[in-house]
Amino acid sequence: MPILSVVLALAAAALLIIASSPAISGQLDILLPLRAYASLLEGSGLFPLDANGLVNTLVQATPLVLGGLAVGIGFKAGLFNIGAYGQFIFGGAAAAGVGAAIASWPAPLAISLSIIAGGLAGAAWGFVPGALKAWTGAHEVVTTIMLNAIAGSIIAYLILGPLLAPGFSFARTGDLGNAMLPIIYGRNLHLGVLVAVAAVPIVWWLLFRSTLGFEIRTAGANPSAARYAGMRPGLLIVLTMSISGMLAGLAGATEILGLSHFMPPSYGTSIGFDSISIALLGRAHPAGIVLAALLFGALRAGSGLMQVQAQIPVEIVDVIQGIILLFLAADILVRRLFRIRAAQAQVTELQTVTKSYGGQAAR
């Protein structure tokens, strides 16, 4: 189903490109999608193979892997964490603030403490909707959406106030110095990619080989059965949302420490919401999330060359990602189109997204 959703999304985007071709070349061009996708592959370094393109793909995929894991682990617990954006920018701001404060410290210590600060800040912001869900029954979708807006306002206050660095023409945090993630290959492949690589087996082990992971998956499948078996679903909700927030915070930390090198008052990014699509496309499994993140990373890395060579706006990548999510949600439609018999009525991840409010408070 994920593969078919991607194929259908590319086909639908091709139709949009053809429909818009008169505005680009002055005539209807049915071959324009082929040239656009060829440029996309070339820019991402996939075909022909190119080291610089592959590096850009990996750099773009790094925060998406961590963000996808953040949303995916929530799905396993029956939680829809739509607040990855707020957790991401909180982690990035914490990493930037701590990194600037200890910029002159030895690099291993400065980098480690900055990354830890980003993870802890994201975990703290994830703890809030988890606690509200467990103790009051407030639905995590509502609380995380509101917390996204609150996070943006708090970050703006911090950057314009306590964390404001003097001597720059615009408001931002200070120089990171030794806290910047070193480049390990090429122009921009930074150490953060190793953080994402390390997180994948750790999350896999946590979910599928640890007692805690078994309890998380059990509580997500049936909170009443988990409670009857002696588990504490409320505590698991809080813990899972905190872990989810930590992973999103690490995504923000690696992005700021490895690429941006400072935090502005307003940090615009789609990583938080793209992580939802990645978790759904990867079926909330760490291996699937890696593949989905690499796909999205390749789309982002190749979009620039596509715009130059085929004159297709880079926004078509957002369209493709949105259509992928649409076809993932239209599970029954896709199965009927390809005459595929469903083994189950719905996948667990979509049940988490579409289930109604209420009855979710598990104290």
Side-chain angles (χ1 to χ4, degrees), residues 103-131:
S104 60
W105 290 20
L109 185 59
I111 292 172
S112 300
L113 291 179
S114 299
I115 291 177
I116 291 173
L120 291 177
W125 205 243
F127 170 86
V128 177

Short mmCIF file of all heavy atoms in Angstrom, two decimals, residues 103-131:
data_model
loop_
_atom_site.label_atom_id
_atom_site.label_comp_id
_atom_site.label_asym_id
_atom_site.label_seq_id
_atom_site.Cartn_x
_atom_site.Cartn_y
_atom_site.Cartn_z
N ALA A 103 29.88 27.84 23.97
CA ALA A 103 30.53 27.75 22.66
C ALA A 103 32.04 27.57 22.77
O ALA A 103 32.66 27.01 21.87
CB ALA A 103 30.21 29.00 21.84
N SER A 104 32.64 28.03 23.86
CA SER A 104 34.10 27.94 24.00
C SER A 104 34.55 26.67 24.70
O SER A 104 35.75 26.44 24.83
CB SER A 104 34.62 29.16 24.77
OG SER A 104 34.04 29.23 26.07
N TRP A 105 33.64 25.85 25.15
CA TRP A 105 34.01 24.60 25.81
C TRP A 105 34.58 23.63 24.79
O TRP A 105 34.41 23.81 23.57
CB TRP A 105 32.78 23.99 26.48
CG TRP A 105 32.28 24.74 27.68
CD1 TRP A 105 32.53 26.05 28.00
CD2 TRP A 105 31.45 24.24 28.72
NE1 TRP A 105 31.89 26.40 29.17
CE2 TRP A 105 31.22 25.31 29.64
CE3 TRP A 105 30.85 23.02 28.98
CZ2 TRP A 105 30.44 25.17 30.78
CZ3 TRP A 105 30.07 22.86 30.11
CH2 TRP A 105 29.86 23.92 31.01
N PRO A 106 35.24 22.58 25.26
CA PRO A 106 35.74 21.56 24.32
C PRO A 106 34.60 21.00 23.47
O PRO A 106 33.48 20.77 23.97
CB PRO A 106 36.33 20.49 25.24
CG PRO A 106 36.70 21.24 26.48
CD PRO A 106 35.67 22.31 26.64
N ALA A 107 34.86 20.77 22.19
CA ALA A 107 33.82 20.40 21.23
C ALA A 107 33.02 19.17 21.66
O ALA A 107 31.78 19.20 21.59
CB ALA A 107 34.44 20.19 19.85
N PRO A 108 33.65 18.07 22.09
CA PRO A 108 32.82 16.90 22.46
C PRO A 108 31.82 17.21 23.56
O PRO A 108 30.66 16.76 23.50
CB PRO A 108 33.86 15.86 22.91
CG PRO A 108 35.12 16.26 22.21
CD PRO A 108 35.08 17.75 22.17
N LEU A 109 32.24 17.98 24.55
CA LEU A 109 31.36 18.31 25.66
C LEU A 109 30.29 19.30 25.23
O LEU A 109 29.10 19.15 25.57
CB LEU A 109 32.17 18.89 26.82
CG LEU A 109 31.41 19.18 28.12
CD1 LEU A 109 30.76 17.91 28.65
CD2 LEU A 109 32.35 19.78 29.16
N ALA A 110 30.66 20.32 24.47
CA ALA A 110 29.70 21.33 24.03
C ALA A 110 28.64 20.71 23.13
O ALA A 110 27.44 20.99 23.26
CB ALA A 110 30.43 22.46 23.31
N ILE A 111 29.06 19.86 22.21
CA ILE A 111 28.10 19.22 21.30
C ILE A 111 27.16 18.30 22.06
O ILE A 111 25.94 18.31 21.85
CB ILE A 111 28.87 18.44 20.20
CG1 ILE A 111 29.60 19.41 19.27
CG2 ILE A 111 27.91 17.55 19.40
CD1 ILE A 111 30.53 18.73 18.29
N SER A 112 27.73 17.49 22.95
CA SER A 112 26.91 16.53 23.71
C SER A 112 25.86 17.24 24.56
O SER A 112 24.68 16.86 24.55
CB SER A 112 27.80 15.66 24.59
OG SER A 112 28.73 14.93 23.82
N LEU A 113 26.28 18.27 25.28
CA LEU A 113 25.34 18.97 26.16
C LEU A 113 24.27 19.71 25.35
O LEU A 113 23.11 19.77 25.77
CB LEU A 113 26.10 19.95 27.05
CG LEU A 113 26.99 19.33 28.13
CD1 LEU A 113 27.72 20.41 28.92
CD2 LEU A 113 26.17 18.45 29.07
N SER A 114 24.63 20.24 24.20
CA SER A 114 23.65 20.94 23.37
C SER A 114 22.60 19.98 22.82
O SER A 114 21.40 20.28 22.81
CB SER A 114 24.36 21.67 22.22
OG SER A 114 25.27 22.63 22.71
N ILE A 115 23.05 18.81 22.38
CA ILE A 115 22.11 17.81 21.86
C ILE A 115 21.21 17.31 22.98
O ILE A 115 19.99 17.15 22.80
CB ILE A 115 22.87 16.64 21.20
CG1 ILE A 115 23.55 17.12 19.91
CG2 ILE A 115 21.93 15.48 20.90
CD1 ILE A 115 24.39 16.06 19.23
N ILE A 116 21.79 17.06 24.15
CA ILE A 116 21.00 16.60 25.30
C ILE A 116 19.97 17.66 25.68
O ILE A 116 18.81 17.34 25.98
CB ILE A 116 21.92 16.28 26.49
CG1 ILE A 116 22.76 15.02 26.17
CG2 ILE A 116 21.10 16.06 27.76
CD1 ILE A 116 23.81 14.73 27.21
N ALA A 117 20.38 18.92 25.65
CA ALA A 117 19.44 20.01 25.98
C ALA A 117 18.28 20.03 25.00
O ALA A 117 17.11 20.21 25.40
CB ALA A 117 20.17 21.35 25.97
N GLY A 118 18.55 19.82 23.73
CA GLY A 118 17.48 19.79 22.74
C GLY A 118 16.52 18.64 22.97
O GLY A 118 15.29 18.80 22.90
N GLY A 119 17.07 17.45 23.28
CA GLY A 119 16.20 16.31 23.55
C GLY A 119 15.36 16.50 24.79
O GLY A 119 14.16 16.16 24.80
N LEU A 120 15.95 17.05 25.85
CA LEU A 120 15.20 17.26 27.09
C LEU A 120 14.11 18.32 26.92
O LEU A 120 13.01 18.19 27.47
CB LEU A 120 16.16 17.67 28.21
CG LEU A 120 17.12 16.58 28.71
CD1 LEU A 120 18.06 17.15 29.78
CD2 LEU A 120 16.35 15.38 29.25
N ALA A 121 14.41 19.38 26.15
CA ALA A 121 13.40 20.41 25.92
C ALA A 121 12.22 19.84 25.14
O ALA A 121 11.05 20.12 25.45
CB ALA A 121 14.02 21.59 25.16
N GLY A 122 12.50 19.03 24.12
CA GLY A 122 11.43 18.40 23.37
C GLY A 122 10.62 17.44 24.23
O GLY A 122 9.39 17.39 24.14
N ALA A 123 11.32 16.69 25.11
CA ALA A 123 10.62 15.77 26.01
C ALA A 123 9.71 16.52 26.98
O ALA A 123 8.59 16.08 27.27
CB ALA A 123 11.65 14.93 26.78
N ALA A 124 10.18 17.66 27.49
CA ALA A 124 9.37 18.45 28.41
C ALA A 124 8.12 18.98 27.71
O ALA A 124 7.02 18.99 28.29
CB ALA A 124 10.19 19.61 28.96
N TRP A 125 8.25 19.39 26.45
CA TRP A 125 7.10 19.91 25.72
C TRP A 125 6.16 18.76 25.32
O TRP A 125 4.96 18.98 25.18
CB TRP A 125 7.55 20.69 24.50
CG TRP A 125 6.56 21.71 24.04
CD1 TRP A 125 5.91 21.75 22.84
CD2 TRP A 125 6.09 22.84 24.77
NE1 TRP A 125 5.07 22.83 22.78
CE2 TRP A 125 5.16 23.53 23.96
CE3 TRP A 125 6.37 23.36 26.05
CZ2 TRP A 125 4.51 24.68 24.37
CZ3 TRP A 125 5.73 24.50 26.46
CH2 TRP A 125 4.81 25.16 25.63
N GLY A 126 6.68 17.57 25.14
CA GLY A 126 5.83 16.42 24.88
C GLY A 126 5.14 15.90 26.13
O GLY A 126 4.06 15.31 26.05
N PHE A 127 5.76 16.13 27.28
CA PHE A 127 5.18 15.69 28.55
C PHE A 127 3.85 16.38 28.81
O PHE A 127 2.92 15.77 29.36
CB PHE A 127 6.16 15.98 29.69
CG PHE A 127 5.57 15.81 31.06
CD1 PHE A 127 5.56 14.57 31.68
CD2 PHE A 127 5.03 16.90 31.76
CE1 PHE A 127 5.02 14.40 32.95
CE2 PHE A 127 4.50 16.74 33.02
CZ PHE A 127 4.49 15.49 33.62
N VAL A 128 3.73 17.64 28.42
CA VAL A 128 2.54 18.44 28.74
C VAL A 128 1.27 17.82 28.14
O VAL A 128 0.31 17.54 28.88
CB VAL A 128 2.71 19.89 28.29
CG1 VAL A 128 1.43 20.68 28.55
CG2 VAL A 128 3.88 20.54 29.01
N PRO A 129 1.19 17.56 26.82
CA PRO A 129 -0.03 16.94 26.30
C PRO A 129 -0.23 15.51 26.78
O PRO A 129 -1.37 15.06 26.92
CB PRO A 129 0.16 16.98 24.77
CG PRO A 129 1.64 17.06 24.59
CD PRO A 129 2.14 17.86 25.74
N GLY A 130 0.88 14.81 27.09
CA GLY A 130 0.75 13.46 27.64
C GLY A 130 0.10 13.48 29.00
O GLY A 130 -0.79 12.67 29.30
N ALA A 131 0.52 14.43 29.86
CA ALA A 131 -0.07 14.54 31.18
C ALA A 131 -1.53 14.97 31.10
O ALA A 131 -2.39 14.45 31.84
CB ALA A 131 0.74 15.53 32.02
#
